[in-house]
Amino acid sequence: QPSGGMPQSGSGRSAAMPNAGRSAARGAGDQVAAPAVAIRWIDVHNHLIPGQGRDFSGSFSAALAVMDQIGIGAMIVMPTPQVANGHDYDAFLAALRQNSARFTFLGGGGSLNVMIHQAGGERVVSESLRRQFKEKADEIIRQGASGFGEMAVQHLSLHATDHPYENVPADHPLFLLLADIAATRDVPIDIHFDVVTNDIPTPSWLSDSPNNPKVLRANLASFERLLEHNPRTRICWDHAGSDNTGHWTTDLSRSLLQKHSNLYMSLRLGPGHEPLNFPLTRDGRIKREWLSLLKDFPDRFMIGSDNFIASATFRGSGTAAMLAGRIPATRRFTPVFLNAIPADLARKISVENATAFYKLKHQM
């Protein structure tokens, strides 16, 4: 979590449709028509921004208002992936339990992720650290979490100095340990992974953040080693369709889904900086290659908007305020997307897959 209590983003600046960039983000998606049919969905990826006095109750009230407005029947909330001690699930757990009929949570972004990244340069970790890590993971599940998240492998710095760059090999010993714990507990892991298939210069649009390296190194092989480590570990790769490197293509998704039956993806229907890999055309139709991918793997996709929802008493500025203003894009595009695909596929992606993957008990 950046200094000053501002949460990290799992999404970054997002263009509304093709022609990414700040100027294009405003109005470029206006050609998308309103959906013909209202479809309710489970949103599996959201973050809360508390108000004054760590007011998470206000965040849940704001979340309920958003849910009722845009058709979300149930929501999973989680801490952002952090590299220093910030807040984890325990900061909002009491408020969540007052709203448990429509919310569940993941944990570890403010604790397990911190431990992984602080030990990121070590290929061998001590038994005491492994024991501490396992104890924390067990506590998270014991408190009622539906899984671990948001965890970060590579997380680009998208918001200037207060948004850190995160990078650790996906096959780090603590990630492998977490995979084993998740398999034993029969819960999933949600992972933010800005994939790079071959070394590239850091894209120029990231130059306003000094935290990024000058070169992004290939990291796909280590991610596949994590997937292969324990095939019983269900892993959700967050933010499909919102590509920031140009490397997360439908061909790459197809290849990995074919090879790894334990890999799932949550769709963030707000384009990243490589809109060619976004599922919708400018006029709101599903792209042919995306429809083919979804039909071939109908049980492996969910909706994860990556909304940052602020309490009405929130008075911050900068990154936190900017992220809280990103909700309108997913308000617009998620219903359009669900209406653009066949009804049976929409039911799976909107509700059924999330219910099975996270073992949810919510009534839709």
Side-chain angles (χ1 to χ4, degrees):
Q1 172 168 327
S3 61
M6 290 187 292
Q8 295 179 34
S9 166
S11 56
R13 278 196 325 262
S14 61
M17 289 301 272
N19 305 317
R22 287 190 182 93
S23 59
R26 218 180 284 113
D30 292 345
Q31 299 177 46
V32 174
V37 179
I39 299 177
R40 289 174 70 79
W41 73 91
I42 295 174
D43 199 321
V44 304
H45 194 108
N46 299 274
H47 305 289
L48 302 173
I49 302 176
Q52 296 177 343
R54 305 288 277 181
D55 172 31
F56 280 101
S57 293
S59 303
F60 280 103
S61 295
L64 286 167
V66 169
M67 293 164 73
D68 291 339
Q69 181 181 8
I70 64 177
I72 300 172
M75 180 180 281
I76 297 177
V77 297
M78 66 191 74
T80 56
Q82 298 154 53
V83 294
N85 291 328
H87 80 265
D88 204 23
Y89 73 96
D90 48 344
F92 57 71
L93 187 56
L96 181 143
R97 285 176 172 159
Q98 297 173 3
N99 297 276
S100 58
R102 295 180 66 183
F103 294 93
T104 189
F105 72 98
L106 306 184
S111 56
L112 301 178
N113 195 73
V114 174
M115 296 166 74
I116 290 172
H117 284 265
Q118 288 183 346
E122 303 172 22
R123 295 306 297 175
V124 177
V125 298
S126 67
E127 282 304 313
S128 62
L129 179 56
R130 289 175 64 89
R131 183 169 57 254
Q132 179 187 358
F133 187 88
K134 184 177 185 304
E135 288 172 355
K136 187 62 179 179
D138 288 341
E139 173 197 302
I140 291 168
I141 302 305
R142 194 165 56 245
Q143 290 295 323
S146 294
F148 301 111
E150 179 180 1
M151 312 299 293
V153 172
Q154 175 160 259
H155 194 307
L156 296 172
S157 174
L158 308 177
H159 302 289
T161 57
D162 65 351
H163 189 217
Y165 170 74
E166 300 180 48
N167 186 47
V168 70
D171 61 347
H172 186 275
L174 291 181
F175 259 130
L176 300 184
L177 175 58
L178 185 61
D180 289 334
I181 295 168
T184 299
R185 292 285 197 164
D186 193 22
V187 297
I189 306 172
D190 271 49
I191 291 180
H192 181 117
F193 174 49
D194 287 318
V195 61
V196 179
T197 57
N198 55 277
D199 294 0
I200 58 171
T202 298
S204 59
W205 65 267
L206 290 167
S207 61
D208 63 347
S209 177
N211 298 325
N212 294 305
K214 296 186 181 303
V215 175
L216 300 179
R217 303 293 181 186
N219 55 11
L220 181 59
S222 65
F223 185 59
E224 291 203 69
R225 287 193 288 272
L226 173 62
L227 292 167
E228 294 164 355
H229 172 72
N230 193 327
R232 295 186 299 115
T233 305
R234 290 172 286 128
I235 291 178
C236 180
W237 185 1
D238 299 331
H239 318 319
S242 185
D243 177 27
N244 283 319
T245 64
H247 291 192
W248 194 353
T249 63
T250 52
D251 286 342
L252 176 61
S253 292
R254 178 178 295 278
S255 173
L256 293 175
L257 290 166
Q258 286 174 336
K259 292 167 64 177
H260 307 286
S261 61
N262 58 335
L263 176 63
Y264 298 73
M265 298 181 184
S266 65
L267 290 153
R268 178 185 177 276
L269 276 305
H273 282 260
E274 296 292 337
L276 289 176
N277 293 326
F278 187 61
L280 296 175
T281 63
R282 285 181 63 89
D283 58 356
R285 291 176 295 160
I286 187 76
K287 292 177 181 175
R288 181 182 305 174
E289 66 271 21
W290 269 98
L291 183 58
S292 175
L293 178 67
L294 297 172
K295 284 184 172 180
D296 288 345
F297 300 94
D299 301 323
R300 310 278 283 279
F301 288 90
M302 300 163 281
I303 300 294
S305 298
D306 196 27
N307 284 323
F308 283 73
I309 303 173
S311 166
T313 63
F314 171 68
R315 296 291 181 268
S317 60
T319 297
M322 179 175 59
L323 294 174
R326 297 298 182 189
I327 296 175
T330 53
R331 286 179 184 168
R332 185 162 63 249
F333 294 126
T334 301
V336 171
F337 166 79
L338 292 173
N339 274 274
I341 61 178
D344 58 340
L345 186 57
R347 274 195 307 275
K348 282 183 170 292
I349 293 174
S350 63
V351 173
E352 294 174 7
N353 294 346
T355 301
F357 186 77
Y358 294 100
K359 301 185 183 301
L360 302 178
K361 299 179 174 63
H362 299 89
Q363 297 296 315
M364 289 289 292

